[in-house]
Amino acid sequence: MVIHTRISPTAFTTNRLDPTYYRAEHLRDAQLRAAWTLANLDDLRSPVAPIVYGVLKPDDLGEKFRVAKAERFNGMFVSAEACDPVSEQIFHEFGRAEAVDGDLLVAIGGYVGRPALLRVKDGLRVVVNRHLARVRIDTARADSGWVLAYFSAACGQRQLTREITGSVQAGINLCDLRLVDVPLPAVETQRYIGDKVRQAEKLRERARRLEACFRDEMAVEIPDASRTGGKASR
């Protein structure tokens, strides 16, 4: 079956002529976004933190320093303590890609398109790996919780995966990611949705602590079968 999609000349870009870029769902999404105020990620980032990728070959050494990977994402969030260790030497070599608490991390390789908000505590320092882009949203320009919620939604996910190029090592080029548009509703709306994201994060952390506490309270010593004649006590 052949599917034909009519594309207006204004919808074409000289950077992308591959047919998958102009699928009907992508064109519909673009029309919907056009109804909003838009700003690209490079316009929304902090002026002191360019959008970059990081470590090429982590060495899994060290304690205070960590490297963030998409494999460590836990839903919409990733904690520094869950990230793999990296040596101080490697960390400082890629210091330009250090990520701090509240930074948005976007997978540009591997798990392409997945976003997560980084949480850092206990004196840890984090650098991203080469498959992640660090995006530090300027809070004077947009609510980072809103941006995270948008790119976690189906329309935002389609927008990111639309930018994938390559076949052997498919991924998103940084230059393309920087130009990805973000719809910007009213500040109050952004804050409302961002607060819901932050509330969900707090509730998730509370649930994690309660689960750990429950496991500690319910933990019992399993009797040695050799001492009970093969019969487990109840």
Side-chain angles (χ1 to χ4, degrees):
M1 180 176 66
V2 178
I3 299 176
H4 297 280
T5 303
R6 290 184 178 275
I7 307 173
S8 67
T10 57
F12 277 106
T13 171
T14 56
N15 295 329
R16 296 293 294 269
L17 297 178
D18 45 308
T20 57
Y21 191 80
Y22 299 98
R23 286 176 176 167
E25 61 267 29
H26 294 321
L27 298 179
R28 285 195 300 269
D29 288 344
Q31 288 179 340
L32 291 174
R33 287 195 301 274
W36 296 84
T37 299
L38 298 172
N40 62 49
L41 280 175
D42 208 39
D43 289 334
L44 296 179
R45 70 168 177 84
S46 166
V48 298
I51 298 174
V52 295
Y53 65 85
V55 175
L56 300 179
K57 293 183 179 181
D59 54 11
D60 296 327
L61 300 174
E63 296 181 2
K64 179 181 177 182
F65 303 97
R66 302 296 174 92
V67 58
K69 303 176 181 179
E71 299 95 304
R72 301 305 182 200
F73 287 5
N74 188 359
M76 297 166 65
F77 308 99
V78 58
S79 66
E81 58 187 353
C83 295
D84 296 344
V86 69
S87 68
E88 183 175 0
Q89 177 183 349
I90 294 293
F91 177 88
H92 287 299
E93 183 179 344
F94 291 90
R96 61 178 174 76
E98 181 175 5
V100 300
D101 186 71
D103 279 356
L104 179 67
L105 309 184
V106 180
I108 57 174
Y111 299 82
V112 182
R114 289 187 61 188
L117 197 70
L118 176 67
R119 287 306 183 203
V120 182
K121 57 183 181 180
D122 299 330
L124 296 175
R125 298 182 69 181
V126 179
V127 66
V128 299
N129 77 345
R130 66 189 180 96
H131 294 305
L132 292 182
R134 179 207 62 199
V135 183
R136 186 170 302 160
I137 299 297
D138 185 342
T139 55
R141 301 179 184 182
D143 188 295
S144 58
W146 155 254
V147 178
L148 173 64
Y150 172 72
F151 284 122
S152 297
C155 56
Q157 284 286 283
R158 286 194 299 271
Q159 188 177 357
L160 289 174
T161 55
R162 185 189 190 192
E163 300 300 329
I164 295 174
T165 58
S167 54
V168 178
Q169 289 187 330
I172 303 175
N173 293 321
L174 281 183
C175 57
D176 294 328
L177 181 67
R178 294 181 181 119
L179 297 178
V180 168
D181 286 328
V182 181
L184 296 177
V187 173
E188 295 78 9
T189 303
Q190 291 185 47
R191 187 178 300 116
Y192 177 83
I193 294 175
D195 286 344
K196 292 297 183 182
V197 171
R198 288 180 281 273
Q199 182 183 27
E201 179 187 13
K202 291 178 181 177
L203 291 173
R204 187 170 188 162
E205 177 61 21
R206 183 186 178 196
R208 188 192 67 79
R209 291 196 304 267
L210 288 174
E211 181 181 6
C213 182
F214 176 78
R215 288 180 176 177
D216 290 342
E217 291 292 332
M218 295 301 293
V220 295
E221 181 180 353
I222 301 177
D224 188 336
S226 63
R227 297 181 180 177
T228 61
K231 297 180 181 180
S233 59
R234 295 184 179 181

